[in-house]
Each structure stands twice: as structure tokens, then as C-alpha cells.
Amino acid sequence: MSAEESTSPQPWILDDALQQYGSLIPIHVDEVLEKLQDVFNESFSQPHRKAVVQHLIQSYQRLPGTAMVRGFRVNYKRHVLTMDDLSTLYGQNWLNDQVMNMYGELVMDCVPDKVHFFNSFFYDKLRTNGYDGVKRWTKNVDIFQKNLLFIPIHLEVHWSLVCVDVPQRTITYYDSQRTLNRRCPKHIAKYLQAEAIKKEQREFLNGWKGFFKMNIARQNNDSDCGAFVLQYCKCLALGQPFSFGQQDMPRLRRLMYKELCHCKLSL
């Protein structure tokens, strides 16, 4: 049997992907071609072969019971992701809180003790209830011993990010739509001051400065804000430049899906 013939009746690569990821959402046709090339030790880069594999993937997704493994779960620490959660990474869906929070956990784990990612519900609670509403959220964390604090901001249908550089006393607002939410850094500054009093860290009472980061890649749709926020967090935590833009979002969504399933960031 030739390599080309074997791709159609035996979609074993796709079966493996379903077992590992619960769906074919993170699988790109080029990845399948590369695996086939490794197995059969011959090139699959010809346009007609790529078209055959692309058709196979599309056909496979339409088969009953193979498009998605409904009982698929990812469990990591206190986080549980279902297929409904992971599916928010598909296409132009809005990322939900479960995906945001588990990815934030992975960011923290890749640089232990250096960053703290606040739960996505933190800012709304702070905004509506003040410091008293969130003062217990860091009872086991000394945020002033961290280098960076990541605070995802979710207002109505848009995600943005506040990054606090603790040693530099800076509060920087990152927004892929470049909106200027002037109240947000002020809320965070007041929180930091109240936390400094409660934790008896008076050296952090003063000197905080707010900035809006404007020279960053901008989204050109209404759906990728959450993906931009998570990439900001990853790059900032790892000390990497923002070398991505709107055109990279399909690839980065697939990568984040895989990272969540592997419970580890791809560095």
C-alpha cells in the first residue's frame, strides 16, 4: 500500500489527536503532513497530497462521534476544562474564564515565585465591592515578593490586561483595541496601597505610576482580545518581545489549546 493510499482509509493520526485533545481543533493540515512524512519517509508537500489530507480532515470532522469527544476533560490543580471550555479557542469564539484562569496558572508555573496571575473575577469584584471584597484573595500570597502581577480585566465583552511591575512600581494597561480605561489603573493603585497597609509593607504605599501601552499589535476583529491577553502574559512572564499580531491568532489559538491539554506552556 502506498503512503498516499494509506492516508485515506486509516486516519490513525486523527484518532490519536482526538484521544489527546478531545477534538481536531488544534490540528493543522501541515502538522498531519509532517507526521505522514516522518512515517513514510517521503515528501507530502505536493499540492494534490495536501488537498487529499485537508479533505480527509474535513470529512473526518463531519463523521458522527468523531468531531468531538464530549466526555473529554483536562484537570489541573483546581481547574477543570471541558470541551465546551476548550472549544472557545476555536475560530473566532470568545475565550471564557475557565480557559483564561487555567492558562494564567500555567504562566505562573513556568516562572515559579516570580509572577502572580489574579483570577479573572478579581477586578470586577474589586470594582464593585472595593478592597474589602477581595482582601482575602491573597491571604496565602505576598504579592510584593513577586516581580509581576497579571490582572485580567473583563468588562462586558472585552478582555484587557493590567501588568504590575512590583520592583519598578509601575501599573501598565495593555489593550489590543487600544482603549484608554483610565479608571482601571487607579483602582489597581488603590488596591495595592490597601494591600500594602494590610500586609504591613509600607514601602509600597507610594510611588506607583500608571501607563498605557500603545505600541502593541492591534486586533482587527471583535473576538481575539482574550487570546491577545494570554499572549501578553506569556511574553511578559518569559521576558520575550510581543512578536505576534492578528495574523498569528489562528496558530496561537491552536498552540494554547495544546498547552492547556499538556498542562504546560510551550517555551
Side-chain angles (χ1 to χ4, degrees):
M1 182 182 295
S2 71
E4 191 165 352
E5 290 172 335
S6 68
T7 61
S8 182
Q10 299 178 15
W12 48 271
I13 292 177
L14 305 185
D15 285 330
D16 288 347
L18 277 174
Q19 276 197 328
Q20 194 169 21
Y21 302 120
S23 77
L24 299 183
I25 290 173
I27 304 302
H28 191 269
V29 61
D30 290 342
E31 183 179 351
V32 178
L33 292 171
E34 185 178 336
K35 287 187 177 181
L36 289 171
Q37 183 169 311
D38 289 342
V39 170
F40 296 105
N41 198 28
E42 59 180 280
S43 174
F44 278 78
S45 61
Q46 300 92 334
H48 75 282
R49 279 189 159 177
K50 186 170 184 177
V52 168
V53 174
Q54 183 71 66
H55 177 72
L56 173 64
I57 293 173
Q58 293 171 348
S59 300
Y60 201 72
Q61 287 176 310
R62 288 193 293 267
L63 290 174
T66 60
M68 193 174 292
V69 180
R70 277 291 168 190
F72 187 82
R73 295 282 189 279
V74 176
N75 297 280
Y76 184 69
K77 296 186 177 179
R78 66 185 185 281
H79 303 280
V80 179
L81 297 183
T82 67
M83 278 312 309
D84 287 342
D85 300 320
L86 289 166
S87 294
T88 66
L89 285 157
Y90 177 68
Q92 294 192 5
N93 291 326
W94 291 334
L95 272 59
N96 69 7
D97 292 279
Q98 286 73 23
V99 166
M100 300 293 288
N101 289 326
M102 179 169 161
Y103 199 87
E105 189 86 49
L106 299 183
V107 169
M108 286 194 288
D109 287 349
C110 77
V111 280
D113 302 321
K114 293 185 178 181
V115 304
H116 181 70
F117 184 95
F118 283 80
N119 184 281
S120 62
F121 298 103
F122 171 83
Y123 180 71
D124 188 58
K125 195 75 170 177
L126 173 67
R127 185 170 59 96
T128 55
N129 295 85
Y131 181 72
D132 284 343
V134 297
K135 63 184 179 182
R136 293 180 56 83
W137 289 43
T138 53
K139 63 179 181 179
N140 297 320
V141 179
D142 185 352
I143 61 173
F144 300 112
Q145 294 299 311
K146 306 293 184 180
N147 291 341
L148 299 175
L149 309 177
F150 297 134
I151 306 172
I153 311 296
H154 192 213
L155 299 176
E156 296 181 356
V157 294
H158 182 60
W159 290 102
S160 55
L161 176 72
V162 165
C163 175
V164 178
D165 186 318
V166 177
Q168 297 298 319
R169 308 290 203 279
T170 59
I171 304 167
T172 306
Y173 193 86
Y174 295 85
D175 191 312
S176 54
Q177 290 185 340
R178 300 183 189 176
T179 55
L180 298 180
N181 184 343
R182 298 189 184 278
R183 292 182 179 180
C184 185
K186 292 179 181 178
H187 283 145
I188 301 303
K190 288 181 179 179
Y191 165 77
L192 292 167
Q193 290 169 332
E195 183 80 350
I197 293 172
K198 185 175 189 297
K199 296 290 179 68
E200 298 183 351
Q201 301 266 9
R202 292 195 165 271
E203 65 270 30
F204 292 100
L205 271 175
N206 301 305
W208 295 103
K209 296 179 181 179
F211 299 93
F212 291 90
K213 195 72 172 178
M214 302 302 291
N215 57 334
I216 53 177
R218 186 172 185 173
Q219 67 182 101
N220 59 19
N221 60 26
D222 294 324
S223 56
D224 280 326
C225 51
F228 271 90
V229 164
L230 293 182
Q231 289 305 303
Y232 295 155
C233 290
K234 181 179 180 180
C235 290
L236 288 166
L238 298 176
Q240 298 175 346
F242 294 167
S243 57
F244 58 88
Q246 180 65 66
Q247 72 278 4
D248 300 301
M249 284 301 118
R251 173 182 61 84
L252 290 173
R253 280 174 173 263
R254 291 193 299 271
L255 176 61
M256 287 189 286
Y257 190 117
K258 292 179 180 179
E259 289 175 321
L260 288 165
C261 289
H262 294 309
C263 300
K264 185 178 181 181
L265 296 190
S266 175
L267 305 180

